[in-house]
Amino acid sequence: MPQGCYLGPLIFMMLINDLTAGFLLHKFVDDTTLTEIDPKDGSSNMSTIINDVISWSCKHLMNINWSKTKEMAIVTKGAGFPFDALSFSNNIVEQVHSFKLLGVTILKWTTHVNTICFKASSRLHFMKVLKRFSLSTSDLLYFYTSAVRPLLEYACPAWHTSLTSEQSKQIERIQIRALKIILNSNCIDYESLCLTHNLDTLSNRRNQLYMTFFEKSVLDKSGCLYYLLPPQRDMCDRLRHQSKFYLPAIRTARFSNSFIVYGLNNYL
């Protein structure tokens, strides 16, 4: 069918609909992610599962791009890679400590924040050009909210709760710079101008986006991430504990700020 037509993505998703694996498999158009949870000192079954994926790809004439295939292990800080590198038909899968998945650099939030700030900063240049052509303040604000701010908020429920204070300020400075360009001023009262121009701070917006996503996708029984919730406490046990869910032992700040734990501790 013609490239770029509306039916293209739909037909492709129909073709890969029967691609399954022995454990968690996430598909987004032509991007597939396999996830395995191994017990401590346990062995990995990833090679067996990938052999099934390779058999499926050969049967359906869909080649795997080995140069873009990566393996990442999430382990305690300082620990080495727990398994040998995967190898299939002389193709060795590269082992990495972070990687970009659907536009988000997983686990390396400093790298992700630097990336989105760089992209947003480059678009501020276009705001300066539009300013020189005497575009109105309302039009410049519209350009910022539609072409710059979305870069700073893309997939933020996944990483907002793990940001450090400095990383949050780094993102906020992009909006401050944008307001300086729009208002042609180097000295501004940031919070007052946000209220005047019906803007919210980026931190507050990310927090609201996180809350909305958590309520719809996790707490709602029909949500796609509802299965991630831990078991609920019974009524008798709930009287002795603040949380209505059985939360695992939290020993690190990183785990405390993770997506599910943070939401259960702060929004219930």
Side-chain angles (χ1 to χ4, degrees), residues 90-259:
N90 298 325
N91 296 298
I92 299 177
V93 178
E94 180 184 0
Q95 295 179 337
V96 297
H97 295 288
S98 68
F99 69 102
K100 181 177 286 188
L101 177 62
L102 302 179
V104 178
T105 304
I106 302 298
L107 294 186
K108 291 290 186 179
W109 302 129
T110 299
T111 303
H112 180 70
V113 170
N114 290 338
T115 300
I116 62 176
C117 287
F118 176 80
K119 290 181 178 179
S121 296
S122 64
R123 294 197 181 182
L124 292 182
H125 167 73
F126 295 103
M127 289 185 60
K128 295 179 181 179
V129 175
L130 295 173
K131 181 71 175 180
R132 288 199 293 267
F133 280 91
S134 302
L135 209 66
S136 66
T137 299
S138 59
D139 288 337
L140 288 172
L141 284 170
Y142 181 79
F143 176 84
Y144 166 72
T145 56
S146 60
V148 181
R149 190 171 66 183
L151 292 174
L152 303 171
E153 297 177 342
Y154 172 72
C156 66
W159 47 267
H160 165 62
T161 59
S162 299
L163 293 182
T164 64
S165 176
E166 181 55 38
Q167 289 169 344
S168 182
K169 291 178 181 178
Q170 181 181 351
I171 298 174
E172 206 74 49
R173 284 193 287 267
I174 300 296
Q175 181 159 284
I176 296 175
R177 288 174 55 194
L179 287 175
K180 288 182 178 180
I181 295 171
I182 294 171
L183 302 175
N184 197 25
S185 173
N186 291 323
C187 183
I188 63 173
D189 185 346
Y190 176 54
E191 294 185 358
S192 297
L193 285 177
C194 285
L195 292 174
T196 302
H197 296 285
N198 197 27
L199 292 173
D200 202 351
T201 63
L202 296 178
S203 178
N204 288 341
R205 281 183 55 84
R206 290 197 307 273
N207 192 56
Q208 185 60 45
L209 290 169
Y210 173 87
M211 289 176 57
T212 302
F213 182 82
F214 191 82
E215 291 173 357
K216 291 183 177 180
S217 301
V218 180
L219 297 181
D220 191 336
K221 291 185 178 181
S222 62
C224 59
L225 300 179
Y226 179 77
Y227 72 95
L228 294 177
L229 287 177
Q232 292 193 35
R233 299 182 185 274
D234 54 41
M235 291 303 299
C236 295
D237 193 28
R238 196 179 301 177
L239 295 176
R240 299 192 299 270
H241 297 83
Q242 181 179 4
S243 175
K244 62 183 294 187
F245 293 93
Y246 286 99
L247 294 178
I250 300 174
R251 299 184 178 89
T252 63
R254 182 176 184 177
F255 185 44
S256 178
N257 292 329
S258 61
F259 177 74

Side-chain angles (χ1 to χ4, degrees), residues 45-57 87-88:
N45 296 315
M46 184 63 72
S47 59
T48 302
I49 299 300
I50 291 188
N51 278 326
D52 294 338
V53 175
I54 294 175
S55 298
W56 180 93
S57 66
S87 177
F88 304 93

